[in-house]
């Protein structure tokens, strides 16, 4: 399996991509940023090249790349630049795009390691996010499998996993009958 680490500091990535030329022009040394953040930023950049539009149904928003700029679209509202969106959205969209892009790679299994997926999200959104991540990150076929490892401090994330575990047990009981 290929490992994919999604750090808690992922929220800085939309700000960095928005300001990349300013950082370079002002000679900000990129060595200041830990390597794992730069690696994740590279994965996010690769994903945004491939994914121009991505719907997030549990939030009723859409990520869209319009004329080379990244936006969040909501029902009936003007587009909001990703770097001007809420901290929860800035944390969530890079996570989902990188997971989606990695999931689309054929013939590879992945181990997704996600630090604090709940960052700056309401409890219901935390639950919906966990359900989405489990759906995308734990699928398997006859040759490959995916794994999901998370770190969390959120009781809502733990409750969501407990619900999924209980649902799995109930499903096995029904299948055995």
């Amino acid at each position: 399996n290929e490992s994919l680490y999604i750090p808690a500091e992922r929220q800085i990535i939309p700000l960095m991509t928005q300001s990349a030329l300013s950082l370079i022009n002002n000679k900000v040394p990129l060595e200041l940023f830990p390597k794992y953040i730069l690696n994740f930023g590279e994965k996010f950049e690769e994903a945004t090249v491939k994914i121009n539009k991505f719907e997030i149904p549990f939030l009723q928003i859409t990520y869209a790349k319009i004329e080379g700029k990244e936006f969040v679209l909501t029902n009936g509202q003007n587009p909001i630049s990703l770097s001007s969106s809420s901290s929860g959205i800035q944390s969530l969209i890079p996570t989902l795009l990188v997971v989606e892009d990695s999931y689309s790679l054929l013939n590879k299994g992945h181990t997704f390691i996600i630090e604090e997926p709940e960052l700056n999200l309401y409890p219901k959104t935390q639950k919906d996010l966990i359900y989405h991540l489990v759906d995308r990150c734990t699928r398997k076929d006859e040759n490959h499998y995916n794994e999901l490892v998370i770190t969390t401090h959120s009781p809502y994330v733990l409750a969501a996993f407990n619900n999924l575990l209980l649902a799995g047990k109930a499903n096995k009981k029904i299948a055995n009958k």
Side-chain angles (χ1 to χ4, degrees), residues 44-69:
F44 176 64
E45 190 176 67
E46 290 170 5
T48 62
V49 167
K50 297 176 195 170
I51 302 170
N52 289 317
K53 191 173 186 180
F54 184 74
E55 291 185 29
I56 305 169
F58 60 89
L59 283 178
Q60 300 174 344
I61 64 171
T62 301
Y63 161 85
K65 201 164 192 181
I66 303 169
E67 297 177 3
K69 295 184 179 175

Side-chain angles (χ1 to χ4, degrees), residues 28-121:
V28 174
L30 293 180
E31 305 86 54
L32 292 176
F33 299 103
K35 185 81 170 153
Y36 63 89
I37 292 176
L38 296 175
N39 288 341
F40 178 73
E42 182 180 2
K43 293 284 187 190
F44 176 64
E45 190 176 67
E46 290 170 5
T48 62
V49 167
K50 297 176 195 170
I51 302 170
N52 289 317
K53 191 173 186 180
F54 184 74
E55 291 185 29
I56 305 169
F58 60 89
L59 283 178
Q60 300 174 344
I61 64 171
T62 301
Y63 161 85
K65 201 164 192 181
I66 303 169
E67 297 177 3
K69 295 184 179 175
E70 299 166 328
F71 291 96
V72 177
L73 309 173
T74 59
N75 296 337
Q77 301 292 321
N78 291 328
I80 301 166
S81 71
L82 179 57
S83 62
S84 296
S85 66
S86 71
S87 56
I89 299 297
Q90 288 180 21
S91 176
L92 183 71
I93 287 179
T95 301
L96 293 178
L97 288 179
V98 169
V99 165
E100 191 65 27
D101 183 48
S102 297
Y103 181 79
S104 68
L105 297 173
L106 299 176
N107 301 322
K108 279 192 176 183
H110 288 85
T111 299
F112 296 93
I113 305 163
I114 305 175
E115 274 192 314
E116 302 182 28
E118 73 274 4
L119 287 177
N120 305 310
L121 298 175

Side-chain angles (χ1 to χ4, degrees), residues 96-159:
L96 293 178
L97 288 179
V98 169
V99 165
E100 191 65 27
D101 183 48
S102 297
Y103 181 79
S104 68
L105 297 173
L106 299 176
N107 301 322
K108 279 192 176 183
H110 288 85
T111 299
F112 296 93
I113 305 163
I114 305 175
E115 274 192 314
E116 302 182 28
E118 73 274 4
L119 287 177
N120 305 310
L121 298 175
Y122 288 110
K124 183 184 179 323
T125 306
Q126 292 179 36
K127 174 194 70 103
D128 294 340
L129 173 62
I130 294 305
Y131 289 0
H132 178 84
L133 290 174
V134 167
D135 178 56
R136 295 309 274 174
C137 297
T138 62
R139 293 190 180 196
K140 61 182 175 180
D141 62 30
E142 58 277 351
N143 298 317
H144 303 93
Y145 65 94
N146 292 322
E147 299 174 306
L148 174 62
V149 177
I150 67 154
T151 62
T152 186
H153 293 97
S154 171
Y156 306 106
V157 167
L158 296 173

